[in-house]
Structure formats: structure tokens, C-alpha cells
Amino acid sequence: MASHIISSFAKFSEQFSEQPFLADESDERITALKNYFKSGGVISIGRSRGDWPKLIYPPPRRLKQQIKELQELKDKFAGQKKKWSKTHSAAENYHLVNNVKKIAEPLYWKHMAKYATDFDYREDAKAVNLPAHLVADPRWKPMVKMFINDIEYRKNLTETVQNSIVYKKDKRVAKYANELQAFRMERSSNEIEMLDKKISNLDKQINTLNVIMKWSGKK
């Protein structure tokens, strides 16, 4: 049986313009072929006898290998998406989680006691907007501890926040914490969006090859 090498849907349509199967737009093979050709695929087929022609190339073995490779890539991207989703969730819930964790920190209650009874301490804490609620975060705990226990450190920090150009518009020593979480949320959102597009494209390719695989099994 003679075979035909075809590399575009236009050529496929031209080759089988007289065959009735081309008129059925609901046939999943029509959509699959269009997608397959767009991705650079080529096929080799036998002659048609009123029904879909026999698919000679790609053979089932080749299709299975391609599907396997695409699925592995999809799984890889899905794993990356899961990690970025965790990063996004952690950043989004950062302050909520730390507000809960602070309750178990003795240092937080020491701050609260001083804040309630020591006027000078309270004014300094207000001046720098002390991030005592982040005391459970290892990044901020040492600074909060020094602020509570070392009056010289506290006064130096208060003066710096009040007079430094760095804090001129925003007198918060924990401004970096907020900016860091905002950055992490934006970065993770962008990565997730990019990975979603890649996964969606792979799903389309896998579905296309599965349809062609079914076609290859037809006699």
C-alpha cells in the first residue's frame, strides 16, 4: 500500500478532500491533527477507503515514548508549582502564623509587661513600631530581645529610626519583613502562573498524542 508523508493539516485536507470523514468537525482526530502539525509533527499514512486512513507513522512505540517524556516533564513542573504554592501560602500567612506563635514565647510576654508598666519603654516601642509580634521568627527575635533587655541598644535604635533618612517616611524597623513577604508573594504568583501555562500546554500535547495513539490502533 502506498503511503503519504504529510506535515500540515492543509496538506492533509487537500490529500483527502473527497473523503467524508473530513466533514465531521466533532471528530477528536481533527483537532488532534491540527495541534500535532502546529507542534511540528509529521505523519505517514496509507490510502483512505472512505474511512480514516491507516496511520503508519508515528508508530505506537514512538507515541508511547513521547507521552512518557511529556508526562515526566509535566510531573516535574507540577512539583515545582507545589513548592511555589507553599512559598506563596507561607508569605500570605506569615503575620497570622507569627501572631499565633508569639503566644508561646516568654519574650513576648516580657515585652507586654514592660509595655504596660514602663512609660519610657512604651514610648520607644511606639517610636520604632517594634515588631514584637514577630518574636517567634528567628530573623527578628534577637533584635526584639536586645530592645527589651538592653536600654542602650533601645535608645540607639529609637534615635536611628527617628532621625535616619532611611526611616524618614516609614518609621518601622520591620518594614523589611513586610516587603520581603510581599516580594515572595509576587515572585511565587508569577512562577505559579508560568508553570500553569506550561502544564496546560503539556496537557494539550499529551491529549493530542493519546488521540493519535487511538487512531494508530485502527485498521
Side-chain angles (χ1 to χ4, degrees):
M1 178 185 292
S3 63
H4 307 278
I5 303 297
I6 300 176
S7 59
S8 72
F9 190 76
K11 290 182 179 179
F12 180 81
S13 298
E14 180 182 349
Q15 185 74 43
F16 299 100
S17 59
E18 302 300 324
Q19 301 300 334
F21 64 79
L22 277 179
D24 186 6
E25 290 290 337
S26 65
D27 194 314
E28 62 182 359
R29 285 169 291 188
I30 296 290
T31 300
L33 266 180
K34 289 178 179 179
N35 292 332
Y36 185 67
F37 287 134
K38 283 181 181 178
S39 66
V42 297
I43 62 173
S44 175
I45 55 178
R47 290 180 179 177
S48 170
R49 294 181 178 176
D51 195 0
W52 277 79
K54 180 180 180 180
L55 181 66
I56 299 174
Y57 181 88
R61 182 176 180 180
R62 170 62 176 161
L63 290 167
K64 287 180 181 179
Q65 181 60 33
Q66 287 180 300
I67 292 171
K68 179 183 177 183
E69 291 171 358
L70 291 173
Q71 185 61 53
E72 288 174 350
L73 187 57
K74 178 187 171 183
D75 292 342
K76 175 184 175 182
F77 289 150
Q80 292 175 356
K81 179 185 174 182
K82 185 176 181 180
K83 290 181 180 179
W84 281 112
S85 294
K86 287 182 178 180
T87 298
H88 187 278
S89 180
E92 186 175 34
N93 297 308
Y94 175 78
H95 289 290
L96 177 63
V97 169
N98 277 279
N99 269 318
V100 173
K101 287 184 175 181
K102 72 184 182 185
I103 297 174
E105 284 287 344
L107 195 60
Y108 174 74
W109 296 110
K110 184 174 182 179
H111 156 75
M112 292 299 293
K114 293 193 71 171
Y115 193 90
T117 60
D118 187 329
F119 174 80
D120 187 56
Y121 176 87
R122 182 166 61 252
E123 291 303 301
D124 288 341
K126 288 180 180 179
V128 303
N129 204 346
L130 182 71
H133 65 292
L134 301 181
V135 69
D137 186 336
R139 183 189 296 271
W140 294 102
K141 186 173 184 177
M143 187 273 283
V144 174
K145 184 176 182 180
M146 288 284 288
F147 189 91
I148 294 172
N149 297 324
D150 189 330
I151 188 172
E152 183 177 356
Y153 174 84
R154 188 174 85 230
K155 290 301 180 182
N156 287 337
L157 180 61
T158 302
E159 182 179 358
T160 298
V161 171
Q162 289 178 327
N163 301 319
S164 173
I165 296 177
V166 176
Y167 297 100
K168 186 175 182 180
K169 292 183 178 180
D170 192 343
K171 299 182 182 299
R172 293 183 298 170
V173 296
K175 179 182 178 182
Y176 174 73
N178 297 329
E179 292 178 340
L180 178 60
Q181 304 316 313
F183 169 78
R184 285 175 174 171
M185 287 182 66
E186 181 179 4
R187 171 74 188 282
S188 57
S189 292
N190 291 338
E191 292 290 338
I192 290 170
E193 182 180 358
M194 179 185 67
L195 289 166
D196 276 338
K197 290 179 180 178
K198 290 182 177 181
I199 290 171
S200 177
N201 182 55
L202 287 169
D203 275 333
K204 185 177 180 180
Q205 292 182 59
I206 290 170
N207 181 64
T208 292
L209 293 179
N210 277 323
V211 172
I212 294 177
M213 172 78 80
K214 287 195 295 183
W215 176 22
S216 72
K218 290 185 178 293
K219 302 298 183 181

